[in-house]
Amino acid sequence: MRLVILGGPGSGKGTQLQRLSKALNLPGISVGEILREAIAKNNFLGVKAKSYVESGELVPDEMMIQLIRLRLLQDDTRKGWLLEGYPRTPFQVEELEFLLEDFKQDLYGAIYLKLDEAIEIERSLSRGRPDDTPAIVQRRIQGFTERTTPILEYYARRGKLIVINAEKAQATVEAEILRKLKS
Ligand code: AMP
């Protein structure tokens, strides 16, 4: 099963990625995590991505496309994967479609963790990560809403959007996702 997890900052994407990865026994791929790790290691990707991640801007598409292609070619992805943080723009949606076509694979669905903007801000600020300052959080949320609306519409049109109320407790959100995947 191949799933993408969509949601604004602070919507619990990372948490649900870990939980679902265990529950479904599939690799959970967090693009933000891969980028932050690369920056910490100061490797080729990290050096290139650093200034974007640290200012809350999107990393350029060419870099992201390569990163995703390489990651989805790794051995652990054969039975499927859970992808969080990608696609984030309509362009990336298209690129993911091309990639899956190329791999002769199918996306099962897009899980959307729906949350009020005020709660997104509050939750993001309480994480205390270096790239979670109020200005950066605000910019990410604005960008998220602008860019994500067409993505949600795209998956909804294809009958692939699974909308989840992300305000509930983590275990409840997870149970709700698993229930909807089975139905
Ligand atoms: P996240 O942890 O998902 O909020 O991602 C942290 C940062 O990584 C973002 O603010 C962007 O700079 C970068 N990033 C994550 N995912 C993407 C993506 N799909 N496209 C471009 N940049 C991304």
Side-chain angles (χ1 to χ4, degrees):
M1 188 187 283
R2 292 174 197 87
L3 290 163
V4 297
I5 303 178
L6 307 169
S11 64
K13 285 171 297 179
T15 306
Q16 292 305 325
L17 182 74
Q18 282 178 10
R19 283 177 168 266
L20 295 171
S21 167
K22 266 198 200 135
L24 300 169
N25 194 25
L26 293 171
I29 303 165
S30 161
V31 175
E33 215 34 62
I34 293 175
L35 291 169
R36 274 189 289 275
E37 261 176 44
I39 292 169
K41 285 185 191 150
N42 211 26
N43 64 19
F44 182 74
L45 173 67
V47 170
K48 293 227 164 199
K50 190 175 159 87
S51 64
Y52 300 100
V53 174
E54 289 183 350
S55 61
E57 300 292 334
L58 286 186
V59 171
D61 282 321
E62 318 82 77
M63 231 188 281
M64 294 307 302
I65 292 164
Q66 278 189 51
L67 185 159
I68 297 296
R69 172 175 273 273
L70 290 175
R71 183 60 189 89
L72 297 187
L73 276 172
Q74 284 178 26
D75 260 0
D76 62 342
T77 59
R78 289 215 185 123
K79 278 194 228 143
W81 40 254
L82 304 162
L83 184 57
E84 179 264 307
Y86 192 95
R88 246 180 165 95
T89 64
F91 182 78
Q92 292 181 357
V93 171
E94 249 179 37
E95 286 300 325
L96 183 61
E97 289 291 311
F98 291 148
L99 192 64
L100 289 172
E101 234 172 72
D102 194 18
F103 292 171
K104 306 218 171 357
Q105 294 173 346
D106 222 15
L107 186 73
Y108 182 84
I111 298 166
Y112 173 42
L113 300 175
K114 195 170 190 259
L115 197 63
D116 262 10
E117 203 170 286
I119 301 174
E120 280 176 4
I121 295 176
E122 195 186 298
R123 285 195 186 172
S124 292
L125 290 177
S126 67
R127 291 188 300 199
R129 284 192 328 219
D131 57 333
D132 278 343
T133 65
I136 293 174
V137 167
Q138 189 67 46
R139 189 169 332 139
R140 271 210 226 111
I141 290 175
Q142 264 170 19
F144 169 77
T145 310
E146 277 167 28
R147 294 188 196 98
T148 312
T149 308
I151 299 178
L152 299 177
E153 285 167 359
Y154 174 91
Y155 288 123
R157 273 200 303 278
R158 280 159 182 74
K160 289 197 172 171
L161 192 67
I162 302 164
V163 182
I164 302 287
N165 175 1
E167 268 179 56
K168 304 233 179 93
Q170 295 175 357
T172 314
V173 173
E174 179 193 356
E176 181 71 4
I177 297 171
L178 293 173
R179 192 181 63 75
K180 287 202 175 173
L181 287 177
K182 280 181 196 141
S183 63

